[in-house]
Amino acid sequence: MTFNELNLTPAILKALSLENYTSPTPIQEEAIPAALAGRDVLGCAQTGTGKTAAFSLPIIQLLSQQPAVTGGKRRIRSLILTPTRELALQIYENIQAYSKFTGIRSTAIVGGVSQKAQERALSQGADILIATPGRLIDLIAQKHVDLQYVQILVLDEADRMLDMGFIHDVKRIIAKMPSKKQTLFFSATMPSEISQLIKTLLVNPVKIEITPVSSTVDRIEQSVYLLQNGNKQNQLNRLLQDQSIVSALVFTRTKRGADRVTRDLAKINITAQAIHGNKSQNDRQNALRNFKSGATRVLVATDIAARGIDIDELSHVINFNLPNIPETYVHRIGRTGRAGMSGVAISLCEEEEIPYLKDIQKLIGKTIPEIKEHDYPMSKSTLALLNDRPAKAPAKPAAKSKANPPRKPKSEWFTQGNKPKSGANGSQGNRTGGYGKGAQGNRPGAAGGSANGSAASRPGARSNGSQGRPGGQSSPNRNGNKAPVNAGRTQ
Ligand code: AMP
């Protein structure tokens, strides 16, 4: 299918061709016609699938077909709510590009930066507002934002909003909008609070589910170092001496950990910058810009700060700490190997993380090859843990396991209509994607080298436009787990 077949206007098609997009991704094929027809959309998809264009293009088109000014003013006619500042700014940049040849104006308001410039932009009027919930609530309270003309609402990464504690802010914001509007709702998982919100918000939605993309992960060259405790930094330093690592995104569990790794790399003259929630928005944007331009070779990030960050041509992902949620591993490594390119993901694992490694291997359905040639091998008795014991949360550190309630069994993460198709690999599809600029014709699954590049592993979109309001079909299997997944974590 081509974008021409999606009935997009010439102005939008021209912008897409400038972006080098030739064919729509599966979610775009399904969501664009539905949204253009005025339908509500419920998309189960993640960053990397092309979902930003899937919701932005119809919004730009629908709004550009109406008068831009009513009652002498340009009104906010579409609101896009998203959990993180980085994601908001990325969506803003995409919308700027896609709407270049239309008269549509957009603006982004995020926390962590001065409000003044945002107030000015708002006073000049915008058709599309992209916002994170906290700052939006402030600006509504101060009467800088009026949402009563909103016709199209997008809730992006709704489950992440829940995890980050924004769900009440989101509900307060929704209450400021007309109840009659079109809603495009995206969430990678459907915990019960999200299903409740869907029931109150969406009317007869077209449901779109992105099916497994195990090949995205298969295309990435993965390896793990099993290390004696206390040697991760040494191993990381060694790895980064290798100049063939052009760009590396290093994940740490905590903000403090990110700062420490960055400091230690500086000691051996490796340029690195950290991005996490304690950094100012300017610092974060600056670090991201430097990394994208190649000025810094290493970006050290926590999961939340890195979420949604879209870095083309990232060669290496390094897990300084293994995540305790296996899906996070898939999401992290999916940052490399985009746009049909190969990528490398290296994990550093100490004794206490062995259960996490086992969980990850179970999810991806294969053993991550171990690199044995190094100076800090784990003792034989510790290594035996990897082979013998069933996976369970590590006893240590006690504080962490307390702060992170045990994960629900994997099967409970999916709605009925959204179950993984086959075995462990199936669940990946809802957690990762893999489209980059210029990825046309190079979709994950079609790529060479895929271990199981069968049709079944190609990401596809299934929609069901006639299911009526989400009720029994979409009721969650994950029973009312209201505890934020990351509660108490210092991201
Ligand atoms: P998203 O899931 O919206 O974050 O998009 C992931 C990446 O895919 C971004 O770099 C987009 O620019 C890119 N992208 C989105 N749609 C297409 C498309 N149809 N063809 C090629 N690249 C795309």
Side-chain angles (χ1 to χ4, degrees):
M1 182 182 270
T2 64
F3 280 109
N4 282 320
E5 292 167 65
L6 291 177
N7 288 329
L8 292 165
T9 57
I12 292 178
L13 291 175
K14 190 169 155 192
L16 293 179
S17 92
L18 269 189
E19 291 296 298
N20 287 327
Y21 296 4
T22 50
S23 52
T25 66
I27 195 167
Q28 292 164 1
E29 280 183 16
E30 299 294 336
I32 292 172
L36 282 177
R39 296 285 302 271
D40 283 356
V41 170
L42 174 56
C44 201
Q46 267 206 342
T47 297
T49 53
K51 76 176 153 70
T52 311
F55 63 71
S56 308
L57 299 178
I59 292 175
I60 295 166
Q61 176 145 325
L62 290 171
L63 298 187
S64 62
Q65 288 167 341
Q66 304 169 349
V69 173
T70 48
K73 276 186 99 173
R74 192 180 281 262
R75 319 279 192 178
I76 297 167
R77 288 176 289 156
S78 178
L79 172 69
I80 299 169
L81 272 180
T82 185
T84 66
R85 314 172 228 192
E86 281 74 20
L87 208 47
L89 296 176
Q90 223 161 264
I91 294 171
Y92 170 70
E93 277 172 24
N94 284 343
I95 290 183
Q96 289 280 302
Y98 304 150
S99 61
K100 204 176 203 155
F101 305 108
T102 68
I104 291 296
R105 262 200 234 157
S106 53
T107 193
I109 58 176
V110 295
V113 289
S114 152
Q115 204 183 284
K116 278 274 162 275
Q118 295 172 5
E119 285 173 21
R120 255 196 317 276
L122 286 166
S123 71
Q124 284 162 9
D127 305 293
I128 303 175
L129 179 64
I130 304 111
T132 51
R135 178 57 62 90
L136 181 58
I137 291 263
D138 292 346
L139 287 164
I140 292 173
Q142 296 163 34
K143 307 240 178 300
H144 291 297
V145 173
D146 178 359
L147 297 179
Q148 63 171 309
Y149 298 93
V150 169
Q151 301 168 19
I152 312 172
L153 165 68
V154 177
L155 276 181
D156 191 27
E157 307 218 347
D159 53 350
R160 191 51 54 162
M161 302 234 217
L162 180 69
D163 287 350
M164 293 174 74
F166 288 146
I167 204 75
H168 293 293
D169 283 349
V170 169
K171 287 179 184 164
R172 282 167 63 197
I173 292 166
I174 291 171
K176 304 280 178 195
M177 280 177 249
S179 56
K180 192 171 170 297
K181 62 185 166 302
Q182 184 179 4
T183 303
L184 314 176
F185 194 108
F186 295 86
S187 192
T189 55
M190 297 289 162
S192 64
E193 267 195 78
I194 294 298
S195 302
Q196 287 305 321
L197 191 60
I198 289 169
K199 276 186 203 161
T200 59
L201 207 57
L202 300 184
V203 181
N204 189 23
V206 174
K207 296 178 182 174
I208 302 171
E209 173 196 354
I210 299 299
T211 54
V213 283
S214 56
S215 54
T216 305
V217 177
D218 291 333
R219 203 178 45 235
I220 298 163
E221 192 187 315
Q222 301 169 64
S223 61
V224 62
Y225 285 81
L226 300 174
L227 299 169
Q228 197 183 61
N229 287 349
N231 282 294
K232 288 191 169 194
Q233 187 72 44
N234 291 334
Q235 187 57 46
L236 180 69
N237 292 352
R238 294 261 168 110
L239 284 171
L240 291 173
Q241 304 291 350
D242 177 357
Q243 294 305 320
S244 71
I245 299 184
V246 181
S247 59
L249 179 57
V250 176
F251 283 96
T252 60
R253 187 157 34 230
T254 64
K255 294 181 271 197
R256 226 170 330 141
D259 285 335
R260 200 170 35 235
V261 167
T262 310
R263 258 194 325 269
D264 287 350
L265 288 175
K267 286 184 199 152
I268 58 160
N269 295 324
I270 291 176
T271 52
Q273 281 186 287
I275 99 167
H276 54 65
N278 280 3
K279 298 271 178 190
S280 73
Q281 181 60 16
N282 280 343
D283 281 350
R284 289 159 79 166
Q285 286 305 114
N286 181 29
L288 208 54
R289 224 180 357 257
N290 288 342
F291 188 61
K292 284 184 177 179
S293 73
T296 23
R297 193 169 146 234
V298 181
L299 188 67
V300 188
T302 55
D303 286 304
I304 286 192
R307 185 161 174 100
I309 288 177
D310 177 28
I311 304 157
D312 291 337
E313 295 167 33
L314 172 65
S315 73
H316 286 69
V317 165
I318 300 179
N319 292 307
F320 189 84
N321 300 111
L322 283 180
N324 62 340
I325 299 168
E327 285 87 351
T328 302
Y329 173 84
V330 177
H331 190 60
R332 283 182 184 181
I333 74 168
R335 303 313 172 81
T336 181
R338 287 202 169 186
M341 293 189 307
S342 60
V344 178
I346 302 170
S347 298
L348 308 182
C349 175
E350 283 183 354
E351 178 179 352
E352 70 173 41
E353 294 166 311
I354 286 180
Y356 301 156
L357 178 62
K358 289 167 102 173
D359 272 357
I360 290 165
Q361 297 189 146
K362 208 162 136 208
L363 175 74
I364 64 174
K366 64 179 185 185
T367 304
I368 301 172
E370 181 197 345
I371 308 268
K372 293 193 168 140
E373 298 300 305
H374 61 87
D375 290 339
Y376 317 104
M378 215 175 241
S379 72
K380 285 217 167 67
S381 58
T382 310
L383 270 176
L385 294 176
L386 187 58
N387 304 319
D388 298 334
R389 287 203 200 149
K392 67 172 171 70
K396 277 194 336 189
K400 262 180 226 149
S401 44
K402 215 173 171 188
N404 292 303
R407 238 171 34 85
K408 290 271 171 192
K410 199 175 66 219
S411 59
E412 292 183 74
W413 282 64
F414 298 90
T415 60
Q416 276 175 345
N418 203 15
K419 271 210 175 122
K421 294 259 171 327
S422 60
N425 270 352
S427 62
Q428 291 161 16
N430 291 319
R431 313 292 307 173
T432 188
Y435 284 90
K437 271 179 198 161
Q440 315 83 11
N442 219 351
R443 289 179 180 167
S450 160
N452 53 356
S454 63
S457 68
R458 175 186 169 276
R462 258 197 359 206
S463 70
N464 183 347
S466 58
Q467 286 187 348
R469 286 184 71 91
Q473 275 282 348
S474 66
S475 64
N477 285 349
R478 193 178 167 194
N479 339 328
N481 177 15
K482 289 184 183 157
V485 174
N486 287 316
R489 256 167 99 178
T490 46
Q491 288 280 357

